[in-house]
Amino acid sequence: MTNLPPPAEELRILDAELRQLDLRRAVLLRRRAWLVHTLRAATAPQPAQGAGVAPGGPPAGPATGTAARRPEATAPGVQNVLLVLGGVLLTIAAVAFTLVSWGHLGIAGRALVLGALTVGALGAPVALLRRGLRATAEAVSGLGTALTVLDAYALHEVAFTGTGGVGYTAAASAVLAALWAAYGVRLGLFHPLPLAVATAHLPLPLWAIAVGAGPLPLTAVLLATAAGGTAVALRAAAGPVRVVAVVGALGTGAVGVLSAGWLCWSASDPGSAARAAALLVVAAAVALVAGRFVPNREVAVAAAAAAGLCLVAGAGGVLRVSVPGEWTVPGCLLCAIVLLAAERTSLPLPLRQGLGRASAAVQGLAVLWAVPLVAGSVLGPAAQAVTPWSGAPRTVRDAVFADVPAPAYASTVPLVLAVVAAALVVAGRRTPRRPAVPVVALVLGWAAVFVLPVALPVPYTAGLVTQAVVVVAALGLAARSDRADGGPSPLALTALLLALLTSVDLALLSLASESATIGVLGTLTLVVGAAGRRPGLAPFTAPAALAHATALACALGASAGLRPPHTALLVLVVPAVAALIASRSSGSRATVPVEVAGAAAGLLALALAVPDPPMLALVLSLCGVVAAAAALRPERRAAGWAAAVLFLAAAWVRLAAWEVGTPEAYTLPVTGPALVVGFLRRRRDTAVSSWTAYGAGLAATLVPSLLAAWDDQHWLRPLLLGVASLAVTLVGARQRLQAPLVLGAGVLALVALHELAPYLTQVAGALPRWVPPALAGLVLLVLGATYEHRLRDARRLREALGRLR
């Protein structure tokens, strides 16, 4: 035997099939109208050939010879426009008559005119439908429905003038809705039923306003109206009726739910809150019923989610006035967790999904409520860096929120975060394909433990120990979740980042006390450094351990009373250790992060040593030693350049500290090694030019010495510079090298010019004033006479220089 569904389910199936038939009928009617129009156009008489139709061709246009234009509007469209326009004009005329010309007629005339018009407009569609003129009948019936509204207005002006406008409108709207519904059902017309449904949403709210109902009864009336609209939307077969009912139900329901929520959360006693919560429960029941019978799955899910939110809002409003303030959010969260129990019930799947989404939304709001305390706990310890070692506070909360007030109701924040994390863990077991769920649960669990010392609050020392335990636990979880191939999993990476964040926060929090700072930084250096033994974690933990070690060196220097330049020597231990670690882990992913951390520590050491030039020279030298040691590795040969720069800078700083003002003392240490390097490079590669090999080294000394000699009033520097430049010129000529020859000759010429300048000045002063112009003119004449010969000589000189290397 065939298994028949329950009557309610069978009725829902039949309604869905009837709606599909209505939609199919509308499509077929439109197709039929188009086909009728096409056949009529095809059978229309063609114009004569002399009127613009060429023999054997398509009809030509009036002037351009193009094909005849197709009609821009279909016959049914023109018919509908005319009928609607006619009905609108008649309605406007009736309104104008009622409002303007009403007073010119007596009582009998008024009744006769409106009655005749109304009866005629409502009765004419009967005859029109018998003749098959449905569109015309719709237009005339629309006029009739408008006249009924005018009849109601006229009746109030004549017979019920003493009745209140709102109450009379409520009664009239109820009567009109009933009349229009009966009229539409009786004649099978299109528009009366949607109008009746829209008008049916007015009587109850207007009646409540008319009798002076309070906020709670008015809210109940709105929810009752929404329930009626929902019932009509579920039972109606016609599409327009359903649309109007759905819009009306959503509008009145939304206003009713918002009003009930406001009443519930603003109530001053449990009784008032419970009455408003009962209305929210009614709204939730209506939404669940709608979601149970609505055929659209997404709509059902949304309705169930709205129902869940209403239930939680009602329960939360009652809890707000029944329990202490800090337990309101945990109570709402508990209600949201209870909604998850719907997963184990026999409710349809869309309803269960909607309730689950409502629960997720409430849990998200609870987490947002906890964000201020978490953010304050993370960022608050940074204030300790402004006044370090100012004294250990009594509690952790005093250290975190030293200058700003702590968030209200903070004591239950860890509980809220822990409950949401537990819910996510359970959800993650049911949905193993979502890797983000355990990651989010881990973050929330960390936040719950992280803010626990601040929320309770616990003593300062106990808070430091708690955060240290969090660091160790997070590093352990990261090491346990680390994959064997060396790449950390999302869960391991999240745990690692949380551990590093907690370690930074713990280090800042410990700045309140000197002993706590040294103890915490030492512990963090060891713990985080030990975690760097895991290959997957080393790129993160090794630099972090070096950063903590740098901070520890600074703290030890400050504790010992050392000045910052002397503390820089302690900080230099970190770059040395970093270079050692990088040499032992060469080729791994942790090498570059370790080297970057060591370089950062070296820069800090240099910054600390800047106020003391002799100490700065020493620090530069030691940094050069570390860089030279790193350059011993084949893949870090480029570090040798950094070492050379550091050694040179150390020498310059030492010379400046000794107040040495001779530029050659600064330039010769550069020129010597540079010339040696250039010589060795040219021995290996003869194609290297002399400018590349010797240009920079020679210019490093010759140019500064030339500038110094230009202002030097003594004879020793120009003499030595002239001898040196002469030697360089002779070597360049002997070895046929372009750079020494050009640089040496140029410097020698400028030195000679500088030495002869006084005598030239005396000669120029002794000569008559006409001699210089005459000499210039003579030179120009000679040059002009031998211009071509001089060009050839200049070309030969350029070629000679070009042949040099």
Side-chain angles (χ1 to χ4, degrees), residues 346-445:
S346 59
L347 290 175
L349 179 60
L351 298 185
R352 285 180 284 159
Q353 291 180 342
L355 293 175
R357 292 183 182 181
S359 177
V362 175
Q363 294 179 48
L365 293 175
V367 172
L368 290 178
W369 172 77
V371 164
L373 182 62
V374 178
S377 300
V378 172
L379 302 177
Q384 297 294 332
V386 180
T387 57
W389 297 355
S390 58
R394 187 174 60 87
T395 63
V396 177
R397 182 181 295 182
D398 296 334
V400 173
F401 297 99
D403 301 326
V404 295
Y409 306 137
S411 59
T412 56
V413 169
L415 176 62
V416 169
L417 294 173
V419 170
V420 177
L424 285 175
V425 169
V426 176
R429 293 178 179 177
R430 296 180 180 179
T431 57
R433 297 182 180 180
R434 297 181 180 179
V437 173
V439 171
V440 177
L442 175 61
V443 173
L444 293 177

Side-chain angles (χ1 to χ4, degrees), residues 322-343:
S322 303
V323 298
E326 62 268 17
W327 291 99
T328 301
V329 174
C332 294
L333 181 60
L334 179 60
C335 296
I337 299 299
V338 171
L339 290 179
L340 295 177
E343 293 290 338

Side-chain angles (χ1 to χ4, degrees), residues 159-171:
F160 299 100
T161 54
T163 306
V166 179
Y168 180 79
T169 303

Side-chain angles (χ1 to χ4, degrees), residues 5-27:
E9 183 66 21
E10 185 177 2
L11 179 60
R12 187 182 64 83
I13 294 174
L14 291 178
D15 289 340
E17 292 180 353
L18 288 174
R19 283 193 291 271
Q20 295 296 328
L21 290 176
D22 290 340
L23 295 176
R24 183 61 180 169
R25 183 175 181 273
V27 172

Side-chain angles (χ1 to χ4, degrees), residues 322-622:
S322 303
V323 298
E326 62 268 17
W327 291 99
T328 301
V329 174
C332 294
L333 181 60
L334 179 60
C335 296
I337 299 299
V338 171
L339 290 179
L340 295 177
E343 293 290 338
R344 301 182 179 274
T345 62
S346 59
L347 290 175
L349 179 60
L351 298 185
R352 285 180 284 159
Q353 291 180 342
L355 293 175
R357 292 183 182 181
S359 177
V362 175
Q363 294 179 48
L365 293 175
V367 172
L368 290 178
W369 172 77
V371 164
L373 182 62
V374 178
S377 300
V378 172
L379 302 177
Q384 297 294 332
V386 180
T387 57
W389 297 355
S390 58
R394 187 174 60 87
T395 63
V396 177
R397 182 181 295 182
D398 296 334
V400 173
F401 297 99
D403 301 326
V404 295
Y409 306 137
S411 59
T412 56
V413 169
L415 176 62
V416 169
L417 294 173
V419 170
V420 177
L424 285 175
V425 169
V426 176
R429 293 178 179 177
R430 296 180 180 179
T431 57
R433 297 182 180 180
R434 297 181 180 179
V437 173
V439 171
V440 177
L442 175 61
V443 173
L444 293 177
W446 164 83
V449 180
F450 184 80
V451 302
L452 185 62
V454 181
L456 289 182
V458 301
Y460 176 72
T461 305
L464 295 180
V465 173
T466 302
Q467 291 199 0
V469 172
V470 173
V471 174
V472 174
L475 289 176
L477 179 60
R480 182 179 180 183
S481 304
D482 188 23
R483 290 196 292 256
D485 58 357
S489 64
L491 187 62
L493 184 59
T494 303
L496 177 59
L497 295 178
L498 294 177
L500 297 181
L501 176 61
T502 309
S503 67
V504 173
D505 194 81
L506 176 59
L508 292 174
L509 191 62
S510 66
L511 291 177
S513 172
E514 178 180 351
S515 58
T517 301
I518 296 175
V520 167
L521 290 176
T523 303
L524 289 177
T525 302
L526 295 177
V527 171
V528 179
R533 301 179 62 182
R534 297 283 301 183
L537 307 183
F540 303 93
T541 55
L546 292 175
H548 290 308
T550 303
L552 177 61
C554 294
L556 290 175
S559 178
L562 300 178
R563 296 174 53 247
H566 295 86
T567 304
L569 297 177
L570 294 177
V571 177
L572 281 179
V573 177
V574 178
V577 174
L580 180 61
I581 295 174
S583 64
R584 296 178 62 87
S585 62
S586 180
S588 66
R589 293 184 300 171
T591 302
V592 174
V594 167
E595 291 174 341
V596 171
L603 292 176
L604 177 62
L606 292 176
L608 292 174
V610 165
D612 190 349
M615 187 59 65
L616 178 60
L618 178 59
V619 172
L620 286 169
S621 301
L622 295 177

Side-chain angles (χ1 to χ4, degrees), residues 29-377:
L29 287 175
R30 287 195 295 269
R31 180 66 178 174
R32 180 182 180 279
W34 182 82
L35 291 174
V36 170
H37 171 71
T38 303
L39 292 175
R40 289 177 180 175
T43 57
Q46 300 293 332
Q49 291 184 359
V53 179
T64 62
T66 57
R69 296 180 179 178
R70 297 181 60 184
E72 296 181 354
T74 61
V78 174
Q79 169 189 323
N80 293 334
V81 170
L82 294 177
L83 291 175
V84 171
L85 181 59
V88 170
L89 292 176
L90 288 175
T91 303
I92 293 174
V95 172
F97 165 76
T98 305
L99 298 178
V100 179
S101 301
W102 183 259
H104 298 288
L105 299 175
I107 297 178
R110 300 170 188 174
L112 181 62
V113 171
L114 277 180
L117 288 176
T118 304
V119 171
L122 294 178
V126 178
L128 293 175
L129 289 174
R130 291 176 181 175
R131 296 177 177 270
L133 303 176
R134 172 171 290 276
T136 306
E138 290 284 351
V140 176
S141 65
L143 174 62
T145 54
L147 288 175
T148 56
V149 177
L150 296 177
D151 289 337
Y153 169 73
L155 187 60
H156 177 267
E157 294 297 323
V158 174
F160 299 100
T161 54
T163 306
V166 179
Y168 180 79
T169 303
S173 59
V175 173
L176 290 176
L179 290 177
W180 290 344
Y183 181 70
V185 172
R186 180 67 179 83
L187 298 183
L189 295 176
F190 177 78
H191 79 280
L193 285 179
L195 287 177
V197 173
T199 308
H201 288 80
L202 300 177
L204 287 179
L206 292 177
W207 170 80
I209 295 174
V211 299
L216 191 65
L218 183 58
T219 302
V221 167
L222 288 173
L223 293 177
T225 304
T230 303
V232 173
L234 294 175
R235 299 289 297 178
V241 176
R242 287 199 311 274
V243 171
V244 173
V246 168
V247 172
L250 289 178
T252 55
V255 175
V257 168
L258 292 177
S259 177
W262 178 79
L263 292 173
C264 185
W265 281 81
S266 61
S268 57
D269 57 277
S272 301
R275 286 190 291 271
L279 295 180
L280 290 174
V281 173
V282 171
V286 173
L288 286 176
V289 171
R292 172 65 178 83
F293 294 103
V294 72
N296 190 298
R297 180 179 178 278
E298 295 299 328
V299 175
V301 172
L309 292 177
C310 289
L311 292 174
V312 175
V318 175
L319 288 173
R320 189 189 66 85
V321 294
S322 303
V323 298
E326 62 268 17
W327 291 99
T328 301
V329 174
C332 294
L333 181 60
L334 179 60
C335 296
I337 299 299
V338 171
L339 290 179
L340 295 177
E343 293 290 338
R344 301 182 179 274
T345 62
S346 59
L347 290 175
L349 179 60
L351 298 185
R352 285 180 284 159
Q353 291 180 342
L355 293 175
R357 292 183 182 181
S359 177
V362 175
Q363 294 179 48
L365 293 175
V367 172
L368 290 178
W369 172 77
V371 164
L373 182 62
V374 178
S377 300

Side-chain angles (χ1 to χ4, degrees), residues 643-746:
V645 171
L646 290 170
F647 284 134
L648 181 62
W652 285 357
V653 171
R654 173 54 65 180
L655 290 173
W658 286 338
E659 298 181 356
V660 175
T662 304
E664 289 78 9
Y666 297 88
T667 57
L668 287 177
V670 179
T671 297
L675 293 178
V676 172
V677 172
F679 176 75
L680 295 177
R681 185 174 181 184
R682 279 184 58 83
R683 287 187 60 183
R684 295 181 181 179
D685 186 4
T686 57
V688 177
S689 68
S690 61
W691 287 103
T692 303
Y694 306 120
L698 292 174
T701 294
L702 292 179
V703 174
S705 298
L706 177 62
L707 296 177
W710 202 261
D711 293 332
D712 196 348
Q713 303 299 326
H714 301 281
W715 58 270
L716 182 60
R717 187 191 301 274
L719 177 62
L720 294 178
L721 180 60
V723 172
S725 58
L726 177 61
V728 171
T729 304
L730 295 177
V731 171
R734 173 70 177 172
Q735 300 295 329
R736 299 178 59 84
L737 299 177
Q738 188 179 108
L741 181 60
V742 172
L743 290 174

